[in-house]
Amino acid sequence: MPVVSAVLQTSFLGDMILTTPLIERLAAEGPVHVVATPANAGVLANHPAVAGVLVFDKRGADRGLGGLRRMAQRLRRIKADRALLAQGSSRTAALAWMAGIPERITFDTSGGRLFTTRRVPYRRDLHHAARLWQLGNAAGRDDVPPPLRPSLHPGPADHASVQALLDRAGVSAQEPLIALAPGSVWATKRWPHYAALAAELVRSIGHRGERIVVLGAAGDAPLAAAIASAALEAGGAPVVDATGQLSLLGSAALLGRCRVLVTNDSAPLHLASAMNAPTVALFGPTVPAFGFGPLAERHTVVEHNSLDCRPCHAHGPAQCPLGHFRCMRELSPAQVAGAAHALHG
Ligand code: SF4
């Protein structure tokens, strides 16, 4: 008898991407439906392990008790045997309970655990993808996760949008690309030297013809402009500004064409893991040991290893509490460019 699963993941984009190994695990036993935010739902398009996506606009149309009730009715219709509360808030746990899903599983540290029927240990020593994967352990034992990598499946429209972007920028099919992702929701996760890195890359790779492409949301356009002007001043080819130009899966498709990505501890890191794109990950106030490091086969973490204040925050504070921001400022463009070269050869 197939087991119908509902995975509730309404957290950040990176968390959704890291939930895909769990979704694949559950799909071996039956159809998997995913409850996602409007911002993240699109990243699951074309995924062969996903039977359906229910969009839960918890801060908009579905906010409040009325919205929760409506969402619970929609969720009830899929007749799930079990709910996996990957985000684990009281709201999503209450949603699964109101939808009448008999088995409700979350971490033993989750705020909504009182609404659940089984709690799985939250293993701080594991990568978050592995922690989430353990939620799908039907036997209820603490099983050992295999090596995991998230997965995404850009479709023909995503690849076409990338091709159109590169055509507009005059990039040929053979031209190798180096991606930079300078943005982050969290201010102190943003490494401040991307423009200087672009100049450094131009000086060191210019003769080999790689093009720099900047990935990010529309709000990252000023960072892309600074990178583009630094690259031009250093004598490089025009930078391809992809900020705000592509869907999430379009960005994933673009990463699949890049030789290397340089990124903060932010969503593009997880997109690159899903596409197995070589990754240089820059960590400042956070550390990979939190469980959100890169999972691409070829990756390097660049971080300050001699600061007692690291890590200082689960996500990255609004500003450095000590005022000096040495964790990021002291990662040099030359050091990061060297790491990028070492990965892409
Ligand atoms: S306190 Fe330390 S780790 Fe935190 S932002 Fe400042 S320099 Fe970085």
Side-chain angles (χ1 to χ4, degrees), residues 153-179:
H153 296 266
D158 304 304
H159 290 290
S161 65
V162 170
Q163 193 56 54
L165 174 82
L166 296 179
D167 286 347
R168 284 197 300 277
V171 178
S172 71
Q174 288 75 34
E175 215 166 335
L177 300 170
I178 295 180

Side-chain angles (χ1 to χ4, degrees), residues 22 53 57 63 70 105 112 127 129 150 163 168 170 176 179 206 234 245 272 337:
L22 167 67
V53 178
D57 190 5
R63 72 179 179 278
R70 284 192 299 277
I105 305 161
H127 195 282
Q163 193 56 54
R168 284 197 300 277
Q245 307 289 311

